[in-house]
Amino acid sequence: MSQFLTRTFFDNSVQNWMISIFMLIAGILAILVFKRIILKRLKQWSIKSKTTIDDFLISTIENSIVPLLYLFAFRISLNALILPSRVLSVLHIATLLFITFFALRIITSLVRKFIFSFIKRRENREIEEKQAKGLLIIINIIIWILGIVFIIDNLGYDVTTLITGLGIGGIAIALAAQTILGDLFSYFVIFFDRPFEIGDFIIVDDKMGNIEYIGIKTTRIRTLGGEQLICSNTYLTNSRVHNYKRMEERRIVFKLGITYQTPAEQVKEVPKMVKKIIESTDNARLDRGHFSGFGSFSLDFEFVYFVLSSEYNVFMDTQQKIYFEILARFESEQIEFAYPTQTLFTVPSPKLSEFE
């Protein structure tokens, strides 16, 4: 038996081969026990929990950590063997590629989880998840490029020249595509800072409409006329945007004037009438109402109230109802609205005989 164990195959004794195989089988069995017992119980526990973080961690362990455990079990079992330098070099490269691949997978999964957790707390989640896919593609490309540079560096090559070349090439690309890159960074600003979202009604300079789509380079707005307006992201982030969707209530100021022939007692009652009408109207909150001054042809009043809704149709309906009520009340009280008029006073000219 001892003679059999001391026999060599590929520069290793049978005993060393048996030890290596035993270590590999033991490692695989330990991993299987971990998967069948510990990981299974963790999955059952995560089903009962309300958070999704535990589901993400268990999925990461199952899809990325467990394959690495198999790799480590395989490499540990090879320590019992004497291997040629060429084989060791190939194993080193394969191990490096294997570890880097799964490490990058874990990093990209973490980034994806962070972004989608951020989106989950926002409105229009389904639409923004579709938009986030473009952002994830860019981030994944950057992560994988850094991973490739890491592999090249660990293989013993000098990456200084490569990084310098990438830097110079990056500057040249940035200068050639500065407009595109500007829109891309503006997209990041819109995505994380949220000055507006899909469905918001905005006004930018003389342009207005509802946000339909936010892309990596452009944002599309459906105007009131029905056409689609396409704006660059840089233009929107550099402009003053009025977001009416974020408006909780709308402040209304209106003036009216009555004729100078109105009796003083009725003039005093006008603010009370209009205030009562506004206070009795749904979706309206009175701020103030006063006799504001003597106009060139009218006695002027100014009233301020708030419409308790951001919807434009609600505002117009409320304002129309108030105006109808004022018109009916003034008609019943025989109060006349003033309009631009002029009164000319003429003096009869003296007779010519008086000067003779």
Side-chain angles (χ1 to χ4, degrees):
M1 185 68 179
S2 60
Q3 291 180 354
F4 174 74
L5 293 176
T6 56
R7 294 181 62 179
T8 59
F9 295 94
F10 300 104
D11 298 328
N12 289 280
S13 64
V14 174
Q15 183 177 356
N16 290 342
W17 281 108
M18 291 178 66
I19 293 172
S20 177
I21 294 171
F22 174 78
M23 292 174 64
L24 178 61
I25 293 173
I28 293 173
L29 289 175
I31 296 170
L32 291 175
V33 169
F34 171 76
K35 287 179 63 179
R36 296 289 176 84
I37 299 176
I38 299 176
L39 198 59
K40 187 176 181 179
R41 290 185 178 179
L42 288 174
K43 285 183 179 180
Q44 293 174 350
W45 171 75
S46 66
I47 294 172
K48 299 178 183 179
S49 65
K50 296 181 180 179
T51 62
T52 59
I53 297 175
D54 48 4
D55 297 321
F56 169 74
L57 292 175
I58 292 171
S59 175
T60 302
I61 292 172
E62 187 175 18
N63 296 326
S64 299
I65 303 298
V66 170
L68 289 175
L69 293 177
Y70 282 115
L71 173 67
F72 292 147
F74 177 70
R75 288 304 306 269
I76 290 172
S77 67
L78 293 180
N79 290 334
L81 301 176
I82 300 173
L83 300 174
S85 58
R86 183 175 295 179
V87 175
L88 290 174
S89 177
V90 172
L91 286 174
H92 171 72
I93 295 172
T95 303
L96 179 64
L97 293 173
F98 200 82
I99 293 174
T100 304
F101 172 78
F102 283 100
L104 293 176
R105 241 178 114 176
I106 293 171
I107 294 171
T108 53
S109 298
L110 287 171
V111 172
R112 181 183 178 86
K113 177 65 177 176
F114 169 76
I115 292 176
F116 279 93
S117 297
F118 178 78
I119 294 173
K120 192 175 181 180
R121 301 190 296 268
R122 299 170 61 169
E123 298 178 359
N124 301 316
R125 189 178 73 181
E126 295 181 359
I127 299 174
E128 294 198 5
E129 284 179 354
K130 294 179 181 179
Q131 295 176 353
K133 291 179 181 179
L135 177 64
L136 283 171
I137 291 172
I138 297 170
I139 295 175
N140 288 341
I141 289 173
I142 295 172
I143 292 173
W144 283 95
I145 289 174
L146 293 175
I148 292 171
V149 173
F150 171 79
I151 292 173
I152 294 173
D153 182 55
N154 279 270
L155 290 177
Y157 296 97
D158 185 12
V159 296
T160 306
T161 306
L162 177 62
I163 294 174
T164 304
L166 288 174
I168 296 172
I171 293 172
I173 293 172
L175 291 174
Q178 55 184 334
T179 303
I180 297 174
L181 292 175
D183 290 330
L184 176 61
F185 286 117
S186 296
Y187 170 74
F188 292 152
V189 172
I190 294 171
F191 186 83
F192 289 105
D193 194 46
R194 299 168 57 191
F196 50 80
E197 297 176 349
I198 293 174
D200 289 2
F201 182 85
I202 67 169
I203 295 179
V204 185
D205 297 334
D206 60 337
K207 304 166 183 64
M208 64 182 71
N210 291 294
I211 301 294
E212 258 192 358
Y213 175 79
I214 302 173
I216 294 176
K217 188 181 187 306
T218 61
T219 295
R220 298 165 195 175
I221 303 171
R222 182 66 61 180
T223 67
L224 295 179
E227 72 273 15
Q228 189 179 70
L229 179 67
I230 302 174
C231 302
S232 68
N233 293 332
T234 304
Y235 168 75
L236 292 175
T237 53
N238 290 338
S239 302
R240 294 179 180 177
V241 178
H242 299 262
N243 192 335
Y244 281 85
K245 186 69 176 292
R246 307 282 174 87
M247 181 174 60
E248 296 181 358
E249 55 185 22
R250 189 184 295 264
R251 185 175 183 267
I252 312 299
V253 180
F254 75 95
K255 298 180 180 181
L256 56 84
I258 60 176
T259 61
Y260 272 97
Q261 288 76 23
T262 307
E265 290 301 321
Q266 279 189 315
V267 173
K268 291 179 182 179
E269 293 297 320
V270 168
K272 298 177 184 178
M273 292 180 195
V274 178
K275 285 182 180 179
K276 189 175 181 180
I277 290 170
I278 294 174
E279 289 173 345
S280 62
T281 303
D282 295 335
N283 297 317
R285 176 170 58 84
L286 177 69
D287 182 28
R288 60 180 177 82
H290 298 92
F291 175 39
S292 60
F294 298 92
S296 59
F297 58 86
S298 63
L299 301 173
D300 296 331
F301 297 84
E302 183 177 85
F303 299 93
V304 180
Y305 69 95
F306 291 90
V307 175
L308 307 179
S309 175
S310 61
E311 294 293 331
Y312 188 77
N313 286 338
V314 175
F315 151 63
M316 289 300 295
D317 290 341
T318 304
Q319 180 176 257
Q320 177 180 256
K321 185 177 180 181
I322 290 172
Y323 286 172
F324 282 154
E325 291 290 336
I326 293 172
L327 188 63
R329 186 64 185 276
F330 276 26
E331 185 178 346
S332 66
E333 297 291 335
Q334 296 183 346
I335 299 174
E336 295 183 2
F337 288 99
Y339 52 87
T341 56
Q342 288 183 341
T343 302
L344 299 178
F345 296 94
T346 59
V347 179
S349 59
K351 295 181 179 180
L352 293 175
S353 59
E354 295 179 359
F355 295 96
E356 294 178 354

